[in-house]
Amino acid sequence: MNGIHDMGGMHGFGSIAAEAHEPVFHEPWEARMFGLGRAMTSPSGSTIDRGRYLRELMPPIAYLGWTYYEHWYFATALSLLQAGMITMDELRSGHAAPGSPKRNDAARPEDLDRQFKTLGNFAREAASAPRFAAGQPVKARIMHPTGHTRLPRYARGKLGVVHRWHGAHVFPDTSARGEGERPGHLYTVMFTARELWGEDAAPADKVCLDLWESYLEPA
C-alpha cells in the first residue's frame, strides 16, 4: 500500500501479522501488569526512555520471543532490583521479606488521572534556534552510540527532507542513561522507501521518522 507510514526499530524480521479482533489484553495477568506498571512507585530517575533502555538489556532470544507485557515485566522488575527496592527472593516469592520496612508511597486513586495526563509531556523550552526548517534536505548521521537511541540503524547515512519541526523535547539518549533531559530540537524527517532500502522498495512509499537535531546534518 502506498502512502506515508510512521515506523521505528530495526528491519529484517519479517512482516507483522495483525490479529483480527485483537483484545486489549490476551490474559488477565497482562491487565494486572499494565496496572502495576502505570501505578507503582517507580525508582527515582525513572523515565519512559529508561524503561526502553532496560528492555533493550534483555537477552536477544528473550527480547524477540517474549510477548509485549513480558517485556514490561522484565523492565519493571529490573528497575526495582537495580534501585534496591526489592530483592530477587522477594521477586521470586511475590512476598516481602520478613522484617522489611513497610512502604506507604503507593499511588493514590485520586492522583492517577493527574499523573497519566501530565507525565507524558516531554516538550521543553528551547535554548537555541532550530538549525533546520521544513522542506530542508538533511542527512541522518552515521553514529553508533552506546545504550539507547531513537535513530534507527536503517536510516543512518540516508538522505531525507524535514517535514515538520516540533520544538525542543527531552533527549532520549541521555534520559535513558540518567544523564538529564538535555532538550533538543525534534523534527519529523521524511525518507523515500527506496532511499532506505533500495530499488526493490515501492517507488511511492515514504517513511517518516521523528529525529533529534543531534542525529542530523545538512545534506
Side-chain angles (χ1 to χ4, degrees), residues 116-191:
F116 292 167
K117 289 180 178 178
T118 60
L119 294 181
N121 182 8
F122 304 102
R124 299 292 186 268
E125 290 292 327
S128 61
R131 187 181 181 189
F132 307 110
Q136 183 174 348
V138 291
K139 181 179 180 180
R141 294 176 55 202
I142 298 176
M143 51 188 291
H144 304 284
T146 300
H148 182 70
T149 184
R150 303 299 285 173
L151 175 58
R153 287 191 184 99
Y154 62 77
R156 297 173 193 177
K158 305 298 184 178
L159 298 173
V161 175
V162 174
H163 179 67
R164 184 178 178 184
W165 168 61
H166 298 282
H169 284 66
V170 173
F171 187 45
D173 299 42
T174 55
S175 175
R177 296 193 297 265
E179 297 174 358
E181 294 188 341
R182 300 189 191 181
H185 291 285
L186 178 65
Y187 307 86
T188 296
V189 180
M190 184 183 296
F191 300 84

Side-chain angles (χ1 to χ4, degrees), residues 37-38 42-43 45-56 68 72 75 119-122 124 148-150 170-178 181 212:
R38 296 303 301 268
S42 298
S46 294
T47 65
I48 188 173
D49 304 305
R50 181 68 179 172
R52 288 167 173 159
Y53 169 66
L54 292 177
R55 290 196 291 275
E56 291 167 358
Y68 180 74
W72 273 46
L119 294 181
N121 182 8
F122 304 102
R124 299 292 186 268
H148 182 70
T149 184
R150 303 299 285 173
V170 173
F171 187 45
D173 299 42
T174 55
S175 175
R177 296 193 297 265
E181 294 188 341
W212 272 259

Side-chain angles (χ1 to χ4, degrees), residues 189-201:
V189 180
M190 184 183 296
F191 300 84
T192 66
R194 287 194 168 182
E195 171 67 14
L196 297 177
W197 296 300
E199 294 302 311
D200 290 337

